[in-house]
Structures are given as C-alpha cells and as structure tokens.
Amino acid sequence: MSKELVERIEEKIRQSAGLGDDARRELIDLLSTLKAEMSELEKTHGEHAESIAGFAGAAAHEAMRAETNPHLLELAMDGLSESVKEVETEHPKLVEISNAICTMLSNLGI
C-alpha cells in the first residue's frame, strides 16, 4: 500500500502549479528513492512503511496547498521524522531520504 501512496504523492507533485521545475524534479527523485527504500522496509516493518508514506504524503500535501498552513506542515514533517526513527539502525538510507524531503520542503520557503 505505501508504494501506491508514494506514487499518488509523486503524481500530485507533477501536477502542482506551485512548484518550480527544478524543485518538482528533485522532489520526484527523492520520492522515487523513498519508494525503493520503503519496498525493503515493507518486507519486515509494514506498519512503519505505511506511517512513513502517510506522513510524507501529509507533508507534501501541506507544502503544495494554495494557502499553506505552516503549523500543519511542521506537524507533518515532525511526524515523518519521528516515524523513521524506529527503523533508523536497520534502514539508515530511509532516514537520510526522509530528512532530505523535509529539508527540501523547508527550503522551498514554505
């Protein structure tokens, strides 16, 4: 399920008018890497993978809203960061990718 959720997030990013082409490409690349890492995670920690995908989706959704709510975006990014902490030792690349997504969303000036 989380793979499909990440694919839906990618589609929303492709359709977002509020993102520049460079930011769009970078986010899609990051999500593509996240999807690959989550495929591995799902084999052993399915619920964690769902949580990570859900918070990544919430963060992307909040970042792309016409009127962004900074508090909701912060909550979603905090949730994403917290959701990967439990699997950090087994899946360090996953933590790296989720941190990169959060950093990028923050750097977009949102």
Side-chain angles (χ1 to χ4, degrees), residues 42-89:
E42 282 182 321
K43 295 174 185 174
T44 56
H45 298 87
E47 288 183 350
H48 284 99
E50 289 294 323
S51 256
I52 292 165
F55 281 115
H61 170 78
E62 291 304 326
M64 293 183 296
R65 287 178 51 181
E67 290 187 32
T68 302
N69 181 323
H71 179 67
L72 291 178
L73 178 60
E74 182 180 345
L75 288 173
M77 291 190 325
D78 287 346
L80 177 57
S81 293
E82 282 297 316
S83 66
V84 297
K85 281 185 181 178
E86 293 182 39
V87 295
E88 184 172 13
T89 56

